[in-house]
Amino acid sequence: MKALVLSGGSGTRLRPFTHSMPKQLIPIANRPILQHVLENIADLGVTEVGIIVGDWEQQITETLGDGSALGVHLTYIPQDSPRGLAHAVVIARDFLGDDDFVMYLGDNVLPGGVAQIAEEFGKARPAAQVVVHKVTDPRSFGVVELGPAGQVVRLVEKPAEPRSDLALIGVYFFTSAIHEAVNAIEPSARGELEITDAIQWLVTHGDEVRAGEYDGYWKDAGCVEDVLDCNRQLLDGMRGSIAGEVDGTSVLSGQVVVEPGARVVRSWIEGPVVIAAGTVVEDAHLGPYTSIGRDCLLRDTHIDDSIVFNGATVSSIGRLKGSMIGRAALVVSTGDHSRAAAKV
């Protein structure tokens, strides 16, 4: 089996951060979303991974390299503009060959992984197996309707009156049958080749399509609130590790990671918190669910439930909560007046 990861898209709901970086590289628990995705794929025993890349190809390749650090081999497949998920399958045809593959959206966060569903697909080998999750309001999602034997009989995009609470969550397993389907469909009203149309084509033409239900934590990390929620979820499963320098006057409680080269001085850290290499935390209070990136400076400040990107400085700020602070951002207080200058 191979994997196809989609990393195009503009990430408009995460601006201004995505003016200068792809949303798939937004850090969650101090690792890019794409790294979490690739780790899930590696856990399936899949090592050959194609990544669809657009305008942010250089940043993605510089971050991930050839994939060897994550136990996979990456092939980058350029896409001139977002033309739909099925179009990604079309342009990846040479890479995929006739192999079975898992297609995974690069902004999906599924800490529980999909190993069980992959095993089900490998045993039964339907033409396609979609991954679904029960949601309270299916009107915002692609919805899967099942027949009496559990087979997929219909896929509807954002139905006004849903007949099911099973939403597509951006992970799909395919045999080579999908290639005929993506070549047979026409662009949708928004001008894209929709993967739901291709899967529906399989259903209509009598191919077996099944659904595997994922009942763990899942988020499409498409906005600030969802990114922070993902950060909380992943930090909750973290083990503490003190490899950096912590002075004798600092107090650490709960699960705290201080990476090699990081320094904590006269500070109070309440985990779960992760502090990356090269960062200095001085006379500061870091509250739960906070991730601090590499080479940051936090001095005389209090931060809770936040993500600080690489290279940022936060100084003399009374308290920040539920915030994302961009790369190389400067957030300082002078007298009674606060000013913030950000390079994101």
Side-chain angles (χ1 to χ4, degrees):
M1 183 185 289
K2 291 179 179 176
L4 185 65
V5 176
L6 277 62
S7 297
S10 56
T12 54
R13 291 183 295 158
L14 279 168
R15 290 176 179 167
F17 303 102
T18 51
H19 280 308
S20 60
M21 68 186 301
K23 64 178 177 178
Q24 295 85 3
L25 294 185
I26 295 287
I28 294 177
N30 273 8
R31 290 181 292 165
I33 298 172
L34 262 180
Q35 184 174 335
H36 295 289
V37 168
L38 292 173
E39 287 171 353
N40 276 3
I41 289 171
D43 286 344
L44 302 179
V46 175
T47 57
E48 292 295 320
V49 182
I51 299 189
I52 303 294
V53 289
D55 294 339
W56 299 111
E57 178 179 2
Q58 183 176 348
Q59 282 200 40
I60 291 172
T61 56
E62 287 175 353
T63 300
L64 300 177
D66 63 3
S68 57
L70 300 172
V72 297
H73 178 266
L74 301 180
T75 298
Y76 295 97
I77 304 168
Q79 186 180 40
D80 57 356
S81 64
R83 300 178 185 273
L85 306 189
H87 180 261
V89 176
V90 172
I91 65 174
R93 183 69 173 91
D94 288 345
F95 165 76
L96 294 169
D98 290 325
D99 292 314
D100 296 350
F101 67 98
V102 55
M103 185 168 78
Y104 208 124
L105 300 192
D107 57 359
N108 263 6
V109 178
L110 294 85
V114 291
Q116 182 177 342
I117 299 172
E119 184 178 354
E120 293 171 1
F121 170 75
K123 289 179 178 178
R125 291 196 71 245
Q129 182 152 347
V130 297
V131 180
V132 296
H133 185 78
K134 287 185 178 180
V135 297
T136 54
D137 186 4
R139 293 173 299 176
S140 301
F141 301 91
V143 174
V144 172
E145 297 176 12
L146 302 181
Q151 77 278 19
V152 175
V153 296
R154 190 173 179 225
L155 298 96
V156 184
E157 189 66 31
K158 298 180 180 177
E161 298 182 1
R163 298 182 183 179
S164 164
D165 61 356
L166 297 176
L168 294 166
I169 64 172
V171 182
Y172 311 81
F173 292 88
F174 295 116
T175 67
S176 60
I178 193 64
H179 298 298
E180 182 180 5
V182 297
N183 286 317
I185 62 174
E186 298 292 332
S188 65
R190 60 177 183 171
E192 297 187 358
L193 291 177
E194 310 286 357
I195 199 65
T196 50
D197 289 345
I199 298 170
Q200 185 64 54
W201 188 94
L202 291 173
V203 171
T204 302
H205 286 77
D207 290 293
E208 183 184 13
V209 177
R210 302 194 66 82
E213 185 177 344
Y214 174 82
D215 58 5
Y217 177 89
W218 162 68
K219 282 286 184 184
D220 163 8
C223 65
V224 169
E225 292 79 9
D226 287 343
V227 170
L228 290 172
D229 193 66
C230 291
N231 192 59
R232 296 181 205 109
Q233 182 72 24
L234 292 175
L235 288 181
D236 257 337
M238 179 188 70
R239 293 183 177 180
S241 173
I242 309 301
E245 178 184 342
V246 179
D247 77 345
T249 63
S250 294
V251 176
L252 279 59
S253 62
Q255 301 300 310
V256 177
V257 173
V258 181
E259 294 185 356
R263 194 156 56 94
V264 177
V265 182
R266 296 184 302 275
S267 295
W268 177 20
I269 316 293
E270 298 178 90
V273 167
V274 58
I275 302 168
T279 284
V280 176
V281 179
E282 185 174 275
D283 298 311
H285 178 188
L286 304 186
Y289 302 113
T290 301
S291 297
I292 311 298
R294 298 190 308 274
D295 303 318
C296 295
L297 173 61
L298 280 72
R299 176 179 289 136
D300 188 25
T301 193
H302 180 181
I303 300 179
D304 296 292
D305 188 23
S306 296
I307 299 174
V308 180
F309 292 29
N310 295 341
T313 295
V314 183
S315 180
S316 301
I317 298 295
R319 188 177 188 186
L320 291 173
K321 183 178 176 65
S323 301
M324 286 172 57
I325 299 172
R327 292 183 297 183
L330 174 64
V331 183
V332 301
S333 175
T334 303
D336 293 330
H337 301 283
S338 296
R339 63 184 175 89
K343 176 184 178 183
V344 297

